[in-house]
Amino acid sequence: MRISQLSAESGVPIPTIKYYLREGLLPQGEQTSATRAEYGTAHLHRLRLIRALLEVGRLPVAAIRKVVEAVEDERTGVHTMLGTAHYALASPPDPHAGDEDWEEAREHVDRLIAELGWAVSPHAPGRDELAQTLLTLRRLGMAAIDADLLPYAAAAMNLARDHEMGMIPFDGPRDVAVETLVVCTVLYGKALEVFRRLAHESESARLLTPARDHAEVRTQDT
Amino acid sequence: MRISQLSAESGVPIPTIKYYLREGLLPQGEQTSATRAEYGTAHLHRLRLIRALLEVGRLPVAAIRKVVEAVEDERTGVHTMLGTAHYALASPPDPHAGDEDWEEAREHVDRLIAELGWAVSPHAPGRDELAQTLLTLRRLGMAAIDADLLPYAAAAMNLARDHEMGMIPFDGPRDVAVETLVVCTVLYGKALEVFRRLAHESESARLLTPARDHAEVRTQDT
DNA sequence: GGTGCGTGGATAGCGCAACTATCCAGTAGC
DNA sequence: GCTACTGGATAGTTGCGCTATCCACGCACC
């Protein structure tokens, strides 16, 4: 398959494919001559993965590059590779400037994770992200105590343990495992986010509008 | 309070505050003379809200403007206002070009929501977002059948019903209600996203590394 | 063995979003 | 009056994800 066919099948313009090749998101095609290269279905699949992470997951190109680098580095073990891929999904940390409020929030997070008994590296970027989120909640005047957070932690662990780890083919090829992990995190994460908004709308409708409005909505719905 | 003090207390540079004023994210201060205006704690609070939605929620400025416009439009009822605010949190729709795969995904979503019995408007943008996500999953070769989705819908509804609707003060001032809804959606959404990644890491560690590694991690952890 | 289109490679430019910098006239407070 | 700061306007900057242009080559078709 040449670049024009890759473009036609994926819907991605040729200059954009060239850009992804340059940026290392997409591996080079197999050179068949000085001005010709051959691309396969793996390239098409990778291209769809890139677009999914960009458009649905809104990941920056740099994060996607980190993910594919983790996949292509054959030296690392599967768990390390999954960790690298996972850490690439984190938001870039912002400087917290030795703030003592921040330190307190970070300690709160560390204590919470310890109490949950989760096997999470002390260097996991999620710890900082969570601390930042708690600090922001507090500054907005919302409590964010353990009782508010635990339901979220429990929901996350339930989904991870009962549904998500089973999706990942640990015994298959390493690239399939890491791709499944990333897709699962990003796309099902998106689905969860949308379900949450829909659930809010539904509950808000039940609490705030008269019963006949439900009937109307349900009627329009069908 | 003058603009310099607002800047000092919030940590937001003066030109940025002026930009937010221009863009309608922040209401004008009370003019005390031709070249002087007075800002209050409401402005400080709003500024923190804007920064939270921007930095933690990564919402575009246009979405934040929609939220504040919904709050400030006194004519609408509380449920409509919450809906407007909520719809502003959706990703902008991309043109699906009358694709028949897309139509099928969208019908799948409508059927799923009907089966769940959720009172969601047929025009809710979340329906399209979910359809797009399902379509993307399929194109990546992942099943995305009801059995895969229902746990996410159930988790979202549990959190909404048991924890989130209780946080929203429906009987208080309307701006507080909508602000709480948005903050709850965006910031607890972020917390949930991070918890999910941490849960993945923890489960991956338990499945893929020898038991002694857990002990090491737990030791470092404390 | 020309001819012409598509290719790979390189470089430069565009468009959007979120700021940021500069200028200016007016005035509050000394 | 002097100075520092203000609100308001306008233009410029940065970063990111593309997109456009150019060029020399070479495969395919005549």
Side-chain angles (χ1 to χ4, degrees):
Chain A
M1 189 188 319
R2 278 158 290 184
I3 202 173
S4 57
Q5 197 182 346
L6 196 56
S7 167
E9 300 224 7
S10 64
V12 178
I14 291 177
T16 305
I17 295 177
K18 289 184 174 183
Y19 167 68
Y20 294 158
L21 287 165
R22 277 201 306 280
E23 293 294 314
L25 304 192
L26 199 58
Q28 299 292 332
E30 192 191 350
Q31 292 277 132
T32 59
S33 82
T35 64
R36 199 91 6 157
E38 186 70 14
Y39 303 93
T41 54
H43 290 89
L44 189 55
H45 187 79
R46 170 68 65 82
L47 207 39
R48 285 203 257 256
L49 175 66
I50 293 168
R51 298 301 282 193
L53 297 182
L54 271 174
E55 292 172 0
V56 181
R58 304 194 168 279
L59 289 195
V61 164
I64 300 176
R65 182 167 43 223
K66 280 189 206 162
V67 170
V68 307
E69 280 170 0
V71 177
E72 284 161 10
D73 182 359
E74 303 285 342
R75 295 166 306 177
T76 56
V78 175
H79 177 60
T80 308
M81 181 183 66
L82 295 182
T84 305
H86 230 159
Y87 287 4
L89 302 181
S91 310
D94 40 9
H96 26 272
D99 193 337
E100 79 175 40
D101 284 351
W102 193 89
E103 289 297 333
E104 188 192 318
R106 173 60 206 246
E107 280 163 23
H108 184 178
V109 168
D110 288 342
R111 183 168 39 74
L112 184 62
I113 291 174
E115 281 170 13
L116 287 165
W118 290 9
V120 168
S121 160
H123 308 296
R127 290 175 187 259
D128 284 353
E129 291 180 87
L130 207 43
Q132 187 64 50
T133 305
L134 295 196
L135 190 53
T136 304
L137 276 168
R138 293 242 179 74
R139 286 215 249 259
L140 286 168
M142 306 198 64
I145 56 177
D146 280 2
D148 298 319
L149 295 171
L150 286 174
Y152 294 89
M157 182 49 93
N158 278 344
L159 288 172
R161 187 167 5 84
D162 301 341
H163 301 283
E164 293 167 350
M165 297 318 279
M167 291 184 191
I168 298 174
F170 291 109
D171 47 353
R174 45 186 288 133
D175 58 338
V176 177
V178 74
E179 185 187 307
T180 308
L181 175 81
V182 170
V183 166
C184 164
T185 303
V186 172
L187 294 191
Y188 282 98
K190 174 75 178 184
L192 182 55
E193 174 199 321
V194 176
F195 274 130
R196 240 164 57 86
R197 288 209 308 271
L198 293 175
H200 284 178
E201 177 178 337
S202 178
E203 286 302 291
S204 164
R206 291 196 199 289
L207 290 172
L208 290 176
T209 62
R212 61 174 172 77
D213 288 352
H214 290 179
E216 275 171 28
V217 170
R218 296 295 296 283
T219 306
Q220 288 172 24
D221 223 20
T222 52
Chain B
M1 189 189 314
R2 278 158 294 186
I3 201 171
S4 57
Q5 196 182 346
L6 196 56
S7 167
E9 300 226 6
S10 65
V12 178
I14 290 177
T16 306
I17 295 177
K18 289 183 172 183
Y19 167 69
Y20 294 157
L21 287 166
R22 278 200 305 279
E23 293 294 312
L25 304 193
L26 200 58
Q28 299 292 331
E30 191 192 349
Q31 292 277 132
T32 59
S33 80
T35 62
R36 199 80 23 143
E38 186 70 15
Y39 304 92
T41 54
H43 290 88
L44 188 55
H45 187 78
R46 171 68 65 82
L47 207 39
R48 284 203 258 256
L49 175 66
I50 292 168
R51 298 302 282 194
L53 297 181
L54 273 173
E55 292 172 0
V56 180
R58 304 193 170 276
L59 289 195
V61 163
I64 300 176
R65 184 167 42 223
K66 281 188 204 162
V67 170
V68 307
E69 280 170 0
V71 177
E72 283 161 9
D73 182 359
E74 302 286 342
R75 296 167 305 178
T76 55
V78 175
H79 177 58
T80 308
M81 181 181 69
L82 295 182
T84 304
H86 230 159
Y87 287 4
L89 301 181
S91 310
D94 42 7
H96 25 272
D99 192 335
E100 77 176 41
D101 284 350
W102 192 90
E103 289 297 334
E104 189 191 318
R106 173 61 207 246
E107 280 163 22
H108 184 178
V109 168
D110 289 342
R111 183 166 40 75
L112 184 63
I113 291 174
E115 281 169 13
L116 287 166
W118 289 10
V120 168
S121 160
H123 308 297
R127 290 174 185 260
D128 285 354
E129 290 181 88
L130 207 44
Q132 187 64 49
T133 305
L134 295 196
L135 190 54
T136 304
L137 275 168
R138 292 240 181 75
R139 285 213 249 260
L140 286 169
M142 307 199 63
I145 56 176
D146 280 2
D148 297 320
L149 295 170
L150 286 174
Y152 294 89
M157 183 49 95
N158 279 342
L159 288 172
R161 188 166 5 83
D162 301 341
H163 301 283
E164 293 168 350
M165 298 316 279
M167 290 184 193
I168 298 176
F170 291 110
D171 48 354
R174 46 186 288 134
D175 58 338
V176 177
V178 75
E179 186 187 307
T180 309
L181 175 81
V182 171
V183 166
C184 163
T185 303
V186 172
L187 294 191
Y188 281 98
K190 173 74 178 185
L192 182 55
E193 174 199 321
V194 176
F195 274 131
R196 240 164 57 86
R197 288 208 309 269
L198 294 176
H200 285 179
E201 178 178 336
S202 178
E203 286 302 292
S204 164
R206 289 196 202 289
L207 290 172
L208 290 176
T209 61
R212 58 174 174 78
D213 288 353
H214 290 178
E216 275 172 27
V217 170
R218 296 295 297 283
T219 306
Q220 288 172 22
D221 223 21
T222 52

